[in-house]
Amino acid sequence: YMRQLAVITPYASFAFSFRAPEKQRCVELQFDRRAEKCPPLPTEVKHHPSSVNNLIVESLINHARGGTTLVSLLTRQLSCISKPHALRLIEELGPSFDKDAHVHELSKRQIQQLTSLLRDAKFKAPDGKCLSPAGEYNIRLGIMKELNPDVVATFQDKASVHEGHPFVVEAAVSLGGNLAKPGLNFFRYANRIPLLFEEGSDIVAQIATKKIRWGGYKIKATDKVGVFVSIVSTKIPFKGTSKEYIGDDNGPLHKSVKKALSQCCVQLKKELTKKHAAKDQAERKKALKKYIPDVGRALIQAMKAISREGGNAAFGDDPMHPDIAMPEGFRKIGNRLLAQQKAGEINEKVICAKLTMHVERIDKALALEFAEEQGRSSKKTESLFIGLKDVDRPCKYTKALPHPGFSFKLLAG
């Protein structure tokens, strides 16, 4: 519990001490502060009309000043109701309600009718100013501090509404770490309070195990996956009086949790794709370098064999295979290489060095091309002309010179 609390509150430092008669049973825990940025303070707001019940309406009436009318109660004590909207609501209640009637004169039955109308009518959704989520920055720092994963992705969804109560879902998915076990490891929070029990029945576990296709995001079942979900709301929809888990009702909360986890997985997929590409590139480079000594040795032996035949096997003025046409430029190059080999300027060591240099150059070119594909897309690029250009006349360009951030072409004429 303390460690999960340290994950969601990296802006606080706290300690836990337990003293027991037996020394081996004593416990000392210290969690240091990592972040300097605290969550924003929540602001006080009025009740949303869709979230009230009979008890709330009766409480608002009892605390209202003497002489408060029904229109005044709706516009001043509840949010998202203007005066014209309040008048329309009173008209829908029927002739037994008067806009100028004092709220203290309402009967129990009238209060129940008013409450039913408020819960059934449609209003503007409340904002999330009354909520205080931890934020992606703090969640990321908390996870890095306590679990030290290989990679972590975070996402915070915009404020939504459940039964008239605003809520915000924050999620994070991590891979690896010191404390994580192979498979899915759940970390659930309700208003920044860790939930430890009834994990299998919780909405987070239900969505993560049944609705998220982890294989589609290049995440294996044997990987150490940390699933972090924090739900902040003015009313957490717990199931049961123990408040140990949040039920899955396929409503707006379900959609928001699934969206947050999916967005985290999309971010991880991009990182894993880059890592896998870099790994494949390193393996390809290693495989090419593995055969360089054999290729260098074979080339030297072939050049020596040609030299023993006076160069007539493939080059020279009287080749052994005259039916094979060879350009004059190639013959000159071949003769020059044979002369350099005889003089000792070309040997096995030189050839291996040249092959290694070529592998390195090709490797850098492929890496640059991959970085360009990952960093830019044609949909996001914008043409910028440096110099004069006649927009009415079509132009031809040279081949694009790539860069991770941009590419440029020269006018061909």
Side-chain angles (χ1 to χ4, degrees), residues 72-134:
S72 178
L73 178 73
L74 294 177
T75 56
R76 296 182 181 180
Q77 300 299 325
L78 298 175
S79 63
C80 305
I81 298 181
S82 60
K83 187 173 181 179
H85 196 180
L87 293 176
R88 291 197 302 269
L89 291 173
I90 295 174
E91 289 179 3
E92 294 183 17
L93 289 172
S96 60
F97 288 84
D98 185 6
K99 64 177 182 177
D100 297 324
H102 294 173
V103 293
H104 295 285
E105 298 175 356
L106 297 177
S107 62
K108 291 284 187 181
R109 184 176 181 181
Q110 288 178 317
I111 293 176
Q112 186 175 1
Q113 292 178 356
L114 176 61
T115 304
S116 299
L117 178 62
L118 292 176
R119 293 186 66 86
D120 295 337
K122 293 184 178 180
F123 301 94
K124 181 181 177 181
D127 55 26
K129 294 181 180 180
C130 59
L131 305 177
S132 180

Side-chain angles (χ1 to χ4, degrees), residues 151-223:
V151 61
V152 59
T154 59
F155 180 80
Q156 178 177 315
D157 197 9
K158 62 181 181 180
S160 302
V161 183
H162 177 71
E163 296 181 355
H165 293 274
F167 70 87
V168 172
V169 173
E170 304 170 293
V173 178
S174 65
L175 293 178
N178 301 331
L179 302 178
K181 300 178 181 179
L184 299 179
N185 301 263
F186 297 105
F187 299 81
R188 303 169 292 129
Y189 302 91
N191 286 335
R192 283 184 273 167
I193 300 299
L195 304 178
L196 304 180
F197 306 104
E198 299 289 346
E199 180 181 282
S201 302
D202 192 84
I203 183 174
V204 177
Q206 292 292 323
I207 293 176
T209 55
K210 298 179 180 180
K211 301 296 182 179
I212 304 296
R213 295 177 62 253
W214 298 97
Y217 300 104
K218 300 184 180 298
I219 299 176
K220 302 177 183 178
T222 56
D223 291 339

Side-chain angles (χ1 to χ4, degrees), residues 27 48 105-106 126 130 142 159 201 241 248 277 309 410:
V27 178
H48 191 268
E105 298 175 356
L106 297 177
C130 59
S201 302
T241 57
D248 185 7
E309 297 176 3
L410 301 176

Side-chain angles (χ1 to χ4, degrees), residues 12 14 17 23 50 70 74 85-86 102 118 129 139 143 160 168 184 217 236 259 263 284 323 349 355 361 397 404 406:
F14 51 91
S17 177
K23 187 176 181 180
S50 301
L70 184 56
L74 294 177
H85 196 180
H102 294 173
L118 292 176
K129 294 181 180 180
I139 291 179
I143 295 173
S160 302
V168 172
L184 299 179
Y217 300 104
I236 300 293
K259 176 184 177 182
Q263 290 297 323
R284 181 173 60 252
D323 55 324
K349 184 177 180 180
L355 290 175
R361 185 168 64 250
Y397 302 97
F406 63 90

Side-chain angles (χ1 to χ4, degrees), residues 50-80:
S50 301
S51 65
V52 299
N53 52 33
N54 290 338
L55 294 177
I56 293 177
V57 175
E58 290 179 2
S59 176
L60 293 176
I61 292 175
N62 293 333
H63 289 84
R65 295 180 180 180
T68 302
T69 62
L70 184 56
V71 174
S72 178
L73 178 73
L74 294 177
T75 56
R76 296 182 181 180
Q77 300 299 325
L78 298 175
S79 63
C80 305

Side-chain angles (χ1 to χ4, degrees), residues 236-251:
I236 300 293
F238 290 109
K239 292 294 183 180
T241 57
S242 59
K243 297 184 177 182
E244 294 176 346
Y245 72 98
I246 302 172
D248 185 7
D249 57 356
N250 290 324

Side-chain angles (χ1 to χ4, degrees), residues 288-312:
L288 289 174
K289 287 186 174 182
K290 177 182 178 181
Y291 297 103
I292 286 179
D294 295 335
V295 173
R297 191 178 307 110
L299 288 175
I300 288 297
Q301 292 176 358
M303 295 178 70
K304 289 180 178 180
I306 295 174
S307 298
R308 285 195 296 269
E309 297 176 3
N312 292 328

